[in-house]
């Protein structure tokens, strides 16, 4: 080990470093999982309105069947994922961004568009992106079928969904 003298004359042990080529610096990481929550869209009218978000996933992890996927999910789908992970996995599942009950009061009682305001949708989008990245970044969660369905299936068929672990083929 190399030692370095400091101002107060104590020696600090440093680990030796290995030179990294310029090519290696810009190679893709050995394992990666990138998830973005983007393009919120509000659909419907009156009390049938809802906002969904595009979930884009790219990975080279062998546990995932698809290496790239893009799906649309509502807040209630994120709630489903959280419930499934709490029930089936052995991880501490982070909280979702709040429900914003005060924003759900009928519009004629407020002076804004409630949960359909652009600022609120953007804050929720950021919170949902943070949530799904924390969850998906956990090695135990990466084996949960619920996460795979959430990230890769065009629609979530709640009637046919069977909880469990994903098996590599």
């Amino acid at each position: 080990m190399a030692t370095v003298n400091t101002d107060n004359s104590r020696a600090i042990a440093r680990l030796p470093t290995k030179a990294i080529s310029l090519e290696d610096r810009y190679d893709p990481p050995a394992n990666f999982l990138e998830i973005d929550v983007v393009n919120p869209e509000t659909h419907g009218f009156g009390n049938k309105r809802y906002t969904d978000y595009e979930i884009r996933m790219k990975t080279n992890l062998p546990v995932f069947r698809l290496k790239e996927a893009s799906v649309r999910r509502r807040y209630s789908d994120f709630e489903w994922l959280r419930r499934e992970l709490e029930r089936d996995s052995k991880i501490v599942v982070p909280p979702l961004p709040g429900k914003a009950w005060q924003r759900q009061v009928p519009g004629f009682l407020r002076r804004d568009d409630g949960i359909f305001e652009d600022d609120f949708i953007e804050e929720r989008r950021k919170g949902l992106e943070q949530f799904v990245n924390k969850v998906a970044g956990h090695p135990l969660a990466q084996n949960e079928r619920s996460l795979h369905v959430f990230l890769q299936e065009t629609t979530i068929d709640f009637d046919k969904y069977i909880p469990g672990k994903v098996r590599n083929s």
Side-chain angles (χ1 to χ4, degrees), residues 29-47:
N31 289 314
F32 70 91
L33 175 60
E34 299 171 1
I35 301 170
D36 296 311
V37 177
V38 295
N39 301 329
E41 292 180 5
T42 300
H43 308 273
F45 299 97
N47 64 356

Side-chain angles (χ1 to χ4, degrees), residues 38-84:
V38 295
N39 301 329
E41 292 180 5
T42 300
H43 308 273
F45 299 97
N47 64 356
K48 300 287 185 196
R49 271 172 96 182
Y50 66 92
T51 301
D52 65 11
Y53 304 83
E54 182 181 1
I55 313 297
R56 292 183 187 161
M57 181 209 70
K58 287 184 183 180
T59 188
N60 66 354
L61 294 173
V63 72
F64 287 94
R65 179 177 51 87
L66 300 175
K67 300 309 170 198
E68 289 189 33
S70 176
V71 296
R72 295 205 67 86
R73 299 289 182 246
R74 298 172 64 158
Y75 184 87
S76 57
D77 297 326
F78 284 87
E79 289 178 313
W80 171 82
L81 174 62
R82 187 171 194 286
R83 280 191 312 272
E84 289 299 311

Side-chain angles (χ1 to χ4, degrees), residues 1-14:
M1 279 194 200
T3 58
V4 177
N5 287 329
T6 60
D7 291 339
N8 61 5
S9 298
R10 290 187 303 173
I12 298 175
R14 303 244 180 188

